């Protein structure tokens, strides 16, 4: 049985607060844990002519998404991922562990398209799985959708040793926010810097410097959305930036707005 929480769409990665969309978050059963971090199952119903733009600063990993009209593997974006929701609908999203996608694609994710149709991966059985997931989601049975997906996972080989190493590397960056240098990360895992760069880029699509930056900016966005946002200079120092100007430039380059503008928009 999967554990379940129903949450508003305001996790660290989601940058559009207060949107009228419900997201059920479910956690995998034991056999699926080598593959899946969690499931995210949004449903929305908007008035005629209405739309909502969702801006997401994603976790540094791939998502498998099944929708009524398609199914694809989406690798991480360099900056924001943006989607506009209209009418009513649902999606069955699977946040994969960082080491999984390369094994499914069969080659390095660096340079791969942002979305790869699931049928092109040649994993086998995906057509039956997506049919079962769609039927379950259409009747509102999200647990059955997860069960159908996990039955399909049972047919796939578990991630290999390199994939498990990438999972540990990403988890270390997420855990230790004082880890700011690629050289230090390589040393912790007994790897050369070039080896670390190839390993991370191959499994995620971007290198370890991007990985470290991504978690810092997620922390920044979450802090700026809080009820009592910190002073920008203090936040920059806490996140390990040399100064506020450097932090502001990096935030704007990825998010598209300065930290101050973003915080003001959230308060509005």
């Amino acid at each position: 049985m999967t554990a379940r929480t129903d949450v508003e769409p305001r996790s660290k990665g989601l940058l559009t607060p207060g949107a009228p969309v419900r997201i059920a978050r479910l956690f995998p059963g034991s056999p699926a844990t080598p593959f899946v971090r969690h499931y995210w199952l949004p449903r929305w119903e908007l008035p005629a002519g209405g739309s909502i733009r969702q801006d997401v600063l994603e976790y540094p990993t791939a998502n498998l998404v099944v929708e009524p009209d398609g199914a694809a593997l989406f690798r991480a974006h360099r900056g924001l991922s943006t989607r506009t929701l209209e009418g009513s609908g649902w999606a069955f999203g699977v946040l994969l562990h960082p080491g999984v996608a390369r094994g499914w694609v069969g080659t390095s994710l660096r340079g791969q398209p942002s979305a790869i149709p699931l049928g092109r991966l040649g994993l086998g059985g995906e057509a039956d799985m997506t049919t079962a997931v769609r039927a379950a989601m259409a009747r509102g049975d999200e647990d059955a959708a997860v069960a159908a997906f996990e039955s399909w996972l049972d047919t796939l080989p578990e991630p290999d040793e390199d994939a498990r190493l990438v999972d540990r590397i990403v988890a270390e960056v997420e855990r230790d926010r004082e880890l700011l240098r690629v050289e230090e990360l390589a040393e912790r895992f007994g790897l050369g810097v070039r080896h670390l760069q190839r390993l991370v880029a191959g499994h995620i699509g971007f290198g370890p410097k991007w990985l470290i930056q991504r978690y810092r900016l997620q922390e920044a966005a979450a802090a700026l959305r809080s009820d009592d946002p910190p002073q920008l200079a203090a936040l920059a120092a806490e996140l390990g930036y040399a100064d506020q100007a450097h932090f502001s430039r990096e935030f704007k380059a990825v998010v598209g707005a300065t930290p101050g503008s973003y915080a003001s928009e959230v308060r509005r």
Side-chain angles (χ1 to χ4, degrees), residues 148-213:
F149 180 77
E150 293 190 352
S151 292
W152 176 68
L153 285 183
D154 285 342
T155 69
L156 303 181
E158 289 195 0
D160 63 17
E161 184 177 342
D162 276 355
R164 293 193 295 271
L165 175 57
V166 170
D167 288 348
R168 295 197 299 273
I169 290 168
V170 173
E172 183 70 4
V173 176
E174 183 176 16
R175 181 194 67 81
D176 185 357
R177 299 308 169 84
E178 295 183 2
L179 203 168
L180 303 175
R181 298 176 60 250
V182 172
E183 293 78 6
E184 182 182 355
L185 180 60
E187 184 178 351
R188 288 194 188 185
F189 285 89
L191 303 173
V193 170
R194 280 181 170 269
H195 185 185
L196 175 69
Q197 290 170 334
R198 288 195 300 271
L199 187 69
V200 173
H203 283 79
I204 297 176
F206 305 103
K209 182 178 179 181
W210 174 90
L211 174 66
I212 292 169
Q213 179 204 58

Side-chain angles (χ1 to χ4, degrees), residues 35-157:
F35 300 93
V36 178
R37 179 163 176 159
H38 66 252
Y39 302 97
W40 50 274
L41 312 179
R43 291 183 183 273
W44 61 94
E45 188 164 355
L46 305 176
S51 66
I52 293 175
R53 193 183 79 174
Q54 295 282 281
D55 293 331
V56 181
L57 193 62
E58 302 164 321
Y59 282 97
T61 186
N63 286 268
L64 185 151
V65 183
V66 178
E67 298 178 274
D69 58 354
L73 182 73
F74 293 85
R75 71 176 181 88
H77 288 75
R78 179 175 293 280
L80 288 182
S81 171
T82 299
R83 177 174 177 177
T84 299
L85 304 179
E86 299 176 322
S88 61
W90 56 264
F92 179 87
V94 186
L95 184 69
L96 299 170
H97 284 298
V100 171
R102 177 178 176 141
W104 288 2
V105 174
T107 188
S108 170
L109 291 191
R110 185 185 285 275
Q112 293 295 316
S114 60
I116 305 172
L118 191 56
R120 292 187 186 174
L121 299 182
L123 298 173
E126 60 271 5
D128 289 341
M129 179 272 289
T130 55
T131 296
V133 167
R134 288 183 182 119
M137 291 295 290
R139 65 177 183 267
D141 191 345
E142 292 162 347
D143 290 328
V146 169
F149 180 77
E150 293 190 352
S151 292
W152 176 68
L153 285 183
D154 285 342
T155 69
L156 303 181

